[in-house]
């Protein structure tokens, strides 16, 4: 009977862990991550996996930056948002293993 109790306890622990992982993944999947550049005038937003969702460029940035600099600043904002998404994913995976 002792073996059956241990097996039941292990099964309950696995079910609890799976439920927690599912809840964490569901919450994580709704997150948005923001990267800013050009003193906050360029804002890139990605979803949980790092796909670009929105890109906001201030008219001031378009006016004062030449094409190359504007492209560099856009890239910087998108990269920051992607890095935030990757860090969030790493955090989720660490949480699932703990």
């Amino acid at each position: 009977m002792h073996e059956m109790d241990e097996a039941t306890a292990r099964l309950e622990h696995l079910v609890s862990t799976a439920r927690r992982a599912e809840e964490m993944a569901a919450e994580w999947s709704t997150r948005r991550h923001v990267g800013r550049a050009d003193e906050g005038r360029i804002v890139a937003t990605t979803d949980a996996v790092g796909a670009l969702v929105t890109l906001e460029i201030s008219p001031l940035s378009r006016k004062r930056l030449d094409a190359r600099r504007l492209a560099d600043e856009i890239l910087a904002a998108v990269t920051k948002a992607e890095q935030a998404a990757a860090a969030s994913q790493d955090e989720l995976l660490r949480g699932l293993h703990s």
Side-chain angles (χ1 to χ4, degrees), residues 50-88:
L52 186 63
V53 176
T54 62
L55 178 63
E56 300 169 26
I57 304 169
S58 163
L60 183 58
S61 293
R62 286 187 285 217
K63 180 182 252 183
R64 70 180 194 80
L65 301 175
D66 64 26
R68 179 174 303 247
R69 179 65 194 259
L70 181 60
D72 289 344
E73 294 296 321
I74 291 170
L75 180 59
V78 171
T79 299
K80 289 175 185 176
E82 290 172 338
Q83 289 170 340
S88 175

Side-chain angles (χ1 to χ4, degrees), residues 1-2 7 13 18 21 23 28 39 50 55-56 64-65 76 93:
M1 201 54 134
H2 181 67
H13 176 71
E23 290 168 358
W28 171 81
E39 299 177 6
L55 178 63
E56 300 169 26
R64 70 180 194 80
L65 301 175
L93 293 175

Side-chain angles (χ1 to χ4, degrees), residues 27-49:
E27 185 274 328
W28 171 81
S29 70
T30 63
R31 292 182 185 176
R32 295 291 184 257
H33 305 282
V34 175
R36 300 178 191 284
D38 192 30
E39 299 177 6
R41 290 185 285 266
I42 298 175
V43 181
T45 305
T46 65
D47 63 12
V49 296

